Amino acid sequence: MEQLVHEFFTRYARALLDRDADVIADIYAVPALIAFPGQSIAVSDKVQTRDFFASNWSGYDGITEAEPRLTIIAQTDHSVWVDVTWSYTGEAQERYVYQLLNGPAGWQIGVLTPLTP
């Protein structure tokens, strides 16, 4: 499972660096849930994810490397929870718990919960 998770987040990091909103949209399950403090966003369409990332690339201006530090915190045959701290240009900047779901399209993000880095 550890190798699969590493490969998944390597692919995600590459899509972020390439600013490839279509690949990122494929990485998220539909439906999915983004659980921000005080607000939850239900992802009901792949286009919703693509458009969100495509309209927010300015937040990644100047970022040329993305390094995810991964800790698997729980897993089953169909789901794995991963605590990920994202470092951009050597500095930890974002932290999330991702619930990856194994479905017909393979492993995808089903639930995303931000944490304090």
Side-chain angles (χ1 to χ4, degrees):
M1 183 62 70
E2 191 170 324
Q3 180 65 28
L4 181 142
V5 168
H6 178 73
E7 289 170 3
F8 181 91
F9 284 100
T10 297
R11 180 173 162 234
Y12 192 13
R14 175 63 13 217
L16 286 171
L17 293 174
D18 290 345
R19 312 306 192 254
D20 193 332
D22 290 320
V23 170
I24 292 174
D26 289 339
I27 287 173
Y28 278 81
V30 174
L33 176 65
I34 312 300
F36 287 114
Q39 176 187 14
S40 293
I41 301 168
V43 178
S44 59
D45 189 312
K46 183 175 164 176
V47 173
Q48 183 181 2
T49 301
R50 186 194 68 219
D51 290 351
F52 172 82
F53 278 91
S55 68
N56 286 292
W57 288 134
S58 63
Y60 293 92
D61 283 349
I63 294 173
T64 58
E65 65 180 62
E67 183 65 35
R69 188 180 73 227
L70 314 170
T71 303
I72 295 173
I73 53 178
Q75 68 186 56
T76 67
D77 291 340
H78 61 82
S79 188
V80 60
W81 291 260
V82 187
D83 182 336
V84 180
T85 299
W86 288 96
S87 293
Y88 304 119
T89 323
E91 184 180 330
Q93 296 190 22
E94 297 177 335
R95 183 174 174 214
Y96 301 95
V97 170
Y98 295 84
Q99 182 181 6
L100 305 181
L101 305 173
N102 190 8
W107 290 92
Q108 295 178 298
I109 297 166
V111 179
L112 172 68
T113 304
L115 302 173
T116 303

